[in-house]
Amino acid sequence: MVPNVATVDVVCLGVLILDVHAFPVTEIPEGQGGQRIEQIRLSAAGAAAGTAVDLSILGCSVATLGAIGTDEIGDFLLSLLAKRGIDTSGVRRTSDAQTSATVLPIRPNGDRPTFHVVGANARYRLDDTALALIGAARHLHLGGPDSMGLFIGDGARQALECAAEAGVKTSLDILGGTPSRVAGELRALFPFLDWLTPNEEQLCDLYALDDPLVAAYRAIDDGVGGVVVSLGADGCLVVDGAGVTHVPGRRIEVIDTTGCGDALSAGFIAGLLDGEPPSAAAELGVATASIVTGVLSSDPGVADRVTIDNARWTLAPATPTRRY
């Protein structure tokens, strides 16, 4: 029997992480030395949970799917998602692994070395509740399937096929690097995918290329409907059948770059759901990512849709570091 589920705008299926941010960290003390800093924050993160939080802030109804441990970290992560009104009924808990978590000592310039535990993310499997949620949504976002063990193959394809059968639009973001085996499994998903939203390094790794624009066209040749390539401070490229659009970054004081890719994906999806063309949706994505860089968190903090829309129109474009 297929479970009854509530209709939502977006289902974010993928990596769920609790991030611990410490700022500013100039060095790791030796031995048992200590260092006083200004802030420590905890936030829901990962290419599924982080994107889900950003989408909720942007006014979308959201459900998350993934796996966490039965530990206290998992309890706290669920509470953070619940505070944002995110449906976590499809999150599965396991006693076989801890909830995925990352410690991020943030440098004064916003750089973020990481200490990461993969944990329960690698143990997720689809079930009837997940498929019912996907079929009832307007959009499915796969966040970091490359970091989900066996799910990247048959599970991810099944989720995308379920979405296609229900007329649900789809997108996919990459979490880490892409060794050859993982790259091949990701590319096998592209014929079922409307949008790919990686950063330029991830995209180039997929095809062992140096040029993100060439790599984006390779992804389209492999079946993706379109590609939104994050360029960091330079904004993003939107590549689809209509051509190429460069959306410049925005000038803002950088505190913490954690979660910028998730924010770009969230803003882009929210714009598409509002009926905006891809280039305009990408402008909302860049604005969302810009706000995220200005706070110590994996999300826009206390910002709301009005604040982010205002940033979209009022933040000055950054000067590109190269020609697009």
Side-chain angles (χ1 to χ4, degrees), residues 138-323:
R138 297 173 63 195
H139 191 104
L140 168 66
H141 180 68
L142 291 183
D146 52 297
S147 298
M148 296 181 69
L150 296 176
F151 175 79
I152 188 177
D154 293 340
R157 177 168 177 164
Q158 185 182 4
L160 290 171
E161 288 178 335
C162 173
E165 290 173 2
V168 176
K169 295 298 183 181
T170 57
S171 55
L172 184 152
D173 194 8
I174 301 169
L175 183 63
T178 50
S180 57
R181 178 190 62 80
V182 174
E185 290 180 328
L186 284 173
R187 293 197 300 268
L189 301 175
F190 289 178
F192 310 95
L193 189 63
D194 292 305
W195 289 98
L196 179 67
T197 62
N199 64 40
E200 58 180 316
E201 180 179 354
Q202 293 162 340
L203 180 60
C204 287
D205 280 352
L206 277 173
Y207 293 100
L209 294 169
D210 296 325
D211 188 329
L213 182 56
V214 175
Y217 277 117
R218 286 283 299 276
I220 290 173
D221 288 343
D222 282 344
V224 169
V227 184
V228 179
V229 190
S230 172
L231 304 171
D234 281 348
C236 70
L237 291 176
V238 181
V239 186
D240 61 9
V244 181
T245 302
H246 174 228
V247 178
R250 295 295 186 267
R251 295 179 186 173
I252 193 167
E253 181 182 359
V254 175
I255 301 297
D256 179 6
T257 59
T258 310
C260 290
D262 302 333
L264 177 60
S265 295
F268 179 69
I269 293 167
L272 292 180
L273 290 174
D274 286 346
E276 297 190 22
S279 58
E283 291 177 352
L284 180 58
V286 168
T288 308
S290 298
I291 296 297
V292 169
T293 67
V295 297
L296 184 68
S297 179
S298 300
D299 59 63
V302 298
D304 56 17
R305 177 62 182 263
V306 173
T307 302
I308 295 169
D309 274 331
N310 286 341
R312 178 181 182 181
W313 307 121
T314 61
L315 284 178
T319 303
T321 61
R322 50 193 154 157
R323 182 172 296 180

Side-chain angles (χ1 to χ4, degrees), residues 97-145:
Q98 75 157 79
T99 301
S100 180
T102 305
V103 176
L104 298 130
I106 309 299
R107 297 188 175 113
N109 67 352
D111 287 348
R112 47 183 179 87
T114 61
F115 300 90
H116 179 63
V117 175
V118 173
N121 284 315
R123 289 167 167 75
Y124 179 72
R125 298 293 182 272
L126 283 172
D127 57 20
D128 288 344
T129 297
L131 293 172
L133 281 165
I134 291 168
R138 297 173 63 195
H139 191 104
L140 168 66
H141 180 68
L142 291 183

